[in-house]
Amino acid sequence: MRILIVSHSYPPHLSPRALRWSAIAEYWVRQGHDVDVITAWFPGMIREESVDGVRVWRVGGSLS
């Protein structure tokens, strides 16, 4: 199954929500699912990467 998670925060951003979603996404990957995450981009973060089998897409920009 293909799963898409849309969340404002995802690691390496440190927040309870980011850590919770990463644990769930990694669990689904271990179960054999394809997982993509769309999350907010912050300065210094990579735009596209694969983290423990989860494809992470960071979009937009931070507001200051």
Side-chain angles (χ1 to χ4, degrees), residues 2 7 15-17 19 21 23 32 34 37 39 50 55 59 61 63:
R2 296 204 60 187
S7 176
S15 73
R17 180 167 290 143
L19 298 175
W21 273 121
D34 292 326
V37 174
T39 188
S50 181
R55 287 178 301 275
V59 297
L63 299 174

Side-chain angles (χ1 to χ4, degrees), residues 4-63:
L4 175 64
I5 298 171
V6 179
S7 176
H8 183 266
S9 59
Y10 195 81
H13 186 79
L14 295 177
S15 73
R17 180 167 290 143
L19 298 175
R20 187 176 316 119
W21 273 121
S22 68
I24 292 169
E26 291 167 13
Y27 172 79
W28 284 335
V29 166
R30 286 192 306 270
Q31 299 300 311
H33 302 291
D34 292 326
V35 181
D36 290 289
V37 174
I38 297 176
T39 188
W41 174 82
F42 294 96
M45 291 187 172
I46 299 172
R47 290 280 187 173
E48 299 173 14
E49 66 178 327
S50 181
V51 179
D52 296 323
V54 178
R55 287 178 301 275
V56 180
W57 308 86
R58 293 186 178 86
V59 297
S62 63
L63 299 174

